[in-house]
Amino acid sequence: MDSAQLAAATLPLRRTGSRYDVEEVDAFLARCGEALRAGERGFRPALRVDEIVLAQFRNVPFFGTGYDADAVDNLLDEVSVRLRAYDPESAQEKAQEAELRAMLDDIEKRPRS
């Protein structure tokens, strides 16, 4: 998911069931869009992946209308995956993991005595 896809995304509104406050979600998605745009331009996003994962929104009162909670959560999962790619620490972790895997492969290929 890139910033353009996030901007074009529409979330379903619900009157019943689990739903989040529209204004609160819209404000957070605006921050997500800014973070994605920063990453796309090669800058470090101001929003961290853990902030997205831990984001919580107010539930809408009994007869109010709000965004479908599952749809919001799924959208934020997609955003966090993309932001993780822009996070230098995450890139460093991936490089270290690849290096360790290469070392393990090398060890496994050695003849056993």
Side-chain angles (χ1 to χ4, degrees):
M1 159 137 330
D2 61 20
S3 61
Q5 292 170 320
L6 178 61
T10 56
L11 292 166
L13 292 169
R14 295 182 64 170
R15 290 185 177 267
T16 61
S18 182
R19 56 207 187 281
Y20 295 143
D21 182 81
V22 171
E23 290 178 15
E24 195 173 320
V25 171
D26 284 344
F28 190 75
L29 290 177
R31 289 183 59 207
C32 290
E34 292 169 10
L36 287 172
R37 281 189 294 283
E40 291 162 1
R41 293 181 184 137
F43 297 106
R44 186 175 186 148
L47 190 62
R48 295 186 325 266
V49 173
D50 62 332
E51 290 179 89
I52 294 173
V53 172
L54 298 174
Q56 294 184 357
F57 305 102
R58 286 184 305 219
N59 288 315
V60 175
F62 189 61
F63 284 109
T65 300
Y67 286 135
D68 178 272
D70 291 333
V72 171
D73 293 340
N74 291 338
L75 183 63
L76 291 177
D77 287 344
E78 291 180 40
V79 170
S80 67
V81 167
R82 177 58 74 125
L83 273 183
R84 188 169 281 122
Y86 299 137
D87 184 2
E89 292 174 8
S90 179
Q92 183 180 7
E93 288 173 7
K94 287 180 187 177
Q96 289 174 341
E97 182 179 345
E99 185 178 335
L100 289 172
R101 286 185 189 278
M103 291 169 74
L104 282 172
D105 289 343
D106 185 48
I107 290 170
E108 289 174 354
K109 291 177 185 176
R110 291 181 187 169
R112 296 179 189 222
S113 48

